[in-house]
Amino acid sequence: MIYLAIGFPPAAKSCAYRMRETANQFVEAGWDVTVVTIARDSWQRDSGVDLTLLDQVDPLVRVVELPLAREDLETDIRLYDEDRALRPNEWVARLRVRQTSTFPEPNFGEWRGALEQAVLDIHREHRADLLLASCVPYVNLAAVWRLWEDARVPYAMDFRDGWSIDVIEGVEAFSRDSEPGRWEQRMLDHAVSLWVVNDPIAAHYRERYPDFADRVRVVRNGYDADSSPGRAHRPDPGSGLVFGYLGTVNFTAQQLETVLSAWRAAREQEPLLANARFEVRGHIGNGAGREANRHAEILKQAEDDGVRFGGPAAKAEVASVYAGWDALVLILIGGRYVTSGKVYEYMATGLPIVSAHVVEHDASNVLRGHPLWTGSAGMDEEALTRSFVRAAHMAVGTSDAVHAEAMAHADRFTRRALMSAAVRELIDQLAADRASGRGATDTAVLAEKPIVAGGTAS
C-alpha cells in the first residue's frame, strides 16, 4: 500500500496519531506499507516535530520524505527576495494565484507534480495494490488520480473533516460545479471507500453523493491507551487544584478570553478554587506566529489568576501530564460537524471535564453519559463559571468507582480498536471490488506510458 500521509510522525500534528495507527494496522494485516510525507525539516518551520511519535511506528513501515515545504512559512528573511521583503501582502497574493493554478488548494497546490512523481516511482519499484490518501492537503488527490489513470491502482480516501463541508461554520465549502467540486466528484466516482471522523460529516457526503453513500465510513479518531494515567486520582485541595488544557490552541482569542474570564470568576466565588491553577499545554500558532501571537499574550496576562502556559507536550509525556491534573477543560472550535480527537483522550483520564464549546457540538454527543462531564453550557461566561465550580466539587468528591466508570466510558474509543476495524473493512471492500471486477489494477498500463509529472486531470 502507498499511504499519502502528510503529517506522519514526527510531525507535531494531531493527525499524526491517526496516521501512525493506520499504517501500523495495515502492517499488522500483512501489508507492505510505504508512507509518503514531507521532510521533517519542513515541520520545523510549521508546527514543529515530536520525535517521541516515532517510537511506536512499526519498523516495517517505509517512509519517503519529499523535499516539500510551505514557502509562506519561511522565517529566515535573508532568503526573501526584494519583492517579498518590501511588498509582503502582494507577494502572498501572487503566491496563492501560482499555487492554485496547479491544483485548487492554497498553500499546497504546487506540490502536485512532486506527489504525482513520488507515487509513480514507488509503484514502479514495488507494485501497489492500494493507495490510501489522508487529507489535508487535498492536493494528495491529484497524485491518487494520476496513479489511477496510469495504472488503475484502487484507492481510498481519508478526508477526516471533509472537503466540501466547512466544518467550522457548518456550511458548504464549495459548489459541485466548482473546480474543487469537480475534483471531489471525480475522486468519489471510483473510490473504494471514503473515511470521515463523525456522523454529521458522513451524512453530508451521503446526501451530496447518494450513489456513493454506502461507501462512506465513519472512522472516529479515538485515543491511544498509553495516553491515559490509568489509575484512581487523589486531588489535594490544600496545595491547590489543577485544571488543564492539552491540545493545539486553534480556537479564537475571544473564546480563550471568555474561558479565562469564567475561570477568574470561579476562583473568586468558590473556596475550592481560591488557590487553584489552570495549566495550558500545546502548540500555539505556526511559522513566525508560533507562541508569538494574541493567544500567548492573553495567557501571559492571566498569570495573576493562576494561569500558566507550559508549551507543547511530547507524546511520551501525555500520560504524566494528565496525572498531574485534577480536572480538564475542553476548548473546541466549530459545532455539530466537529468532534476533535482530544475528547476521547480526555474521557479516558477519568477526570472531570469542563466543556467550553457551543452546545450543539459533536463532542457533546461523545461525552453524553460520561459521569464526570459538567455538561454543555455553551460559551456563556456565567454558565462556564458554574461549570468550573461544579468540576472542582467533582474533583474532590469523586469515588474510585465513579472514576473507574468515567474511564470505562472511553473504552470503546481506543484508537487501535477503531483503526483495526476500519482497516479490516477497507481490505474486505477492496477484495469484494476485485471479485466483482471493479477497479482492478492494471500494471501493464503503467509500463507502456511515459512517467511525466503534472497529470491530466483538472
Side-chain angles (χ1 to χ4, degrees), residues 382-426:
E382 291 185 4
L384 281 174
T385 300
R386 292 192 294 271
S387 291
F388 276 119
V389 171
R390 185 180 179 196
H393 284 276
M394 285 179 171
V396 299
T398 299
S399 66
D400 289 354
V402 174
H403 177 79
E405 181 186 348
M407 292 180 63
H409 187 77
D411 285 349
R412 66 191 186 279
F413 295 118
T414 60
R415 199 185 317 272
R416 177 181 172 81
L418 293 172
M419 296 312 304
S420 174
V423 167
R424 284 198 309 270
E425 185 178 36
L426 178 54

Side-chain angles (χ1 to χ4, degrees), residues 131-413:
L131 196 159
L132 175 62
S134 185
C135 306
V136 295
Y138 291 95
V139 69
N140 281 333
L141 301 181
V144 174
W145 186 255
R146 180 64 192 277
L147 197 56
W148 170 258
E149 280 196 314
D150 279 33
R152 284 299 186 262
V153 173
Y155 61 87
M157 300 171 295
D158 185 3
F159 274 8
R160 306 199 309 262
D161 286 340
W163 195 12
S164 57
I165 178 72
D166 182 333
V167 297
I168 305 303
E169 300 299 330
V171 297
E172 181 185 59
F174 49 76
S175 65
R176 294 190 62 171
D177 60 357
S178 65
E179 188 177 4
R182 292 192 297 273
W183 264 104
E184 187 174 80
Q185 176 72 70
R186 177 188 301 120
M187 300 308 300
L188 294 177
D189 281 345
H190 302 283
V192 176
S193 183
L194 171 66
W195 291 355
V196 294
V197 298
N198 61 35
D199 292 299
I201 299 174
H204 161 78
Y205 276 101
R206 288 168 182 153
E207 293 169 8
R208 189 178 179 94
Y209 305 102
D211 291 342
F212 190 76
D214 63 338
R215 291 176 179 264
V216 178
R217 297 288 181 268
V218 174
V219 182
R220 292 187 173 274
N221 278 317
Y223 72 98
D224 297 310
D226 61 0
S227 295
S228 171
R231 59 178 174 78
H233 188 68
R234 296 288 182 268
D236 182 5
S239 62
L241 295 178
V242 184
F243 283 59
Y245 169 85
L246 175 61
T248 303
V249 180
N250 59 359
F251 37 82
T252 66
Q254 181 180 1
Q255 193 171 0
L256 178 59
E257 288 175 330
T258 300
V259 171
L260 295 182
S261 294
W263 167 255
R264 184 184 309 112
R267 291 181 87 229
E268 293 170 352
Q269 297 174 20
E270 173 54 52
L272 278 173
L273 292 171
N275 61 342
R277 302 188 303 280
F278 183 5
E279 297 182 357
V280 176
R281 299 294 303 273
H283 292 274
I284 297 181
N286 61 6
R290 196 187 310 171
E291 296 184 22
N293 55 17
R294 178 60 181 152
H295 295 78
E297 293 175 7
I298 293 169
L299 291 169
K300 181 71 174 177
Q301 293 165 1
E303 287 184 352
D304 289 344
D305 299 316
V307 177
R308 299 289 183 271
F309 173 61
K315 177 65 171 175
E317 300 178 280
V318 169
S320 62
V321 169
Y322 285 133
W325 292 344
D326 302 302
L328 304 176
V329 185
L330 184 64
I331 312 174
L332 298 174
I333 57 175
R336 65 183 297 263
Y337 290 100
V338 176
T339 305
S340 95
K342 280 299 174 186
V343 63
Y344 306 106
E345 196 171 273
Y346 274 33
M347 289 193 302
T349 66
L351 297 174
I353 300 172
V354 174
S355 273
H357 51 72
V358 299
V359 174
E360 295 300 324
H361 199 288
D362 192 58
S364 299
N365 298 327
V366 177
L367 283 163
R368 194 164 290 113
H370 189 281
L372 295 179
W373 179 42
T374 62
S376 183
M379 290 306 300
D380 177 76
E381 186 177 320
E382 291 185 4
L384 281 174
T385 300
R386 292 192 294 271
S387 291
F388 276 119
V389 171
R390 185 180 179 196
H393 284 276
M394 285 179 171
V396 299
T398 299
S399 66
D400 289 354
V402 174
H403 177 79
E405 181 186 348
M407 292 180 63
H409 187 77
D411 285 349
R412 66 191 186 279
F413 295 118

Side-chain angles (χ1 to χ4, degrees), residues 65-83:
E65 295 184 352
L66 303 181
L68 297 170
R70 282 186 56 177
E71 190 175 348
D72 59 310
L73 296 184
E74 178 59 69
T75 57
D76 187 347
I77 61 175
R78 295 170 298 181
L79 301 177
Y80 291 10
D81 58 24
E82 181 179 343
D83 188 45

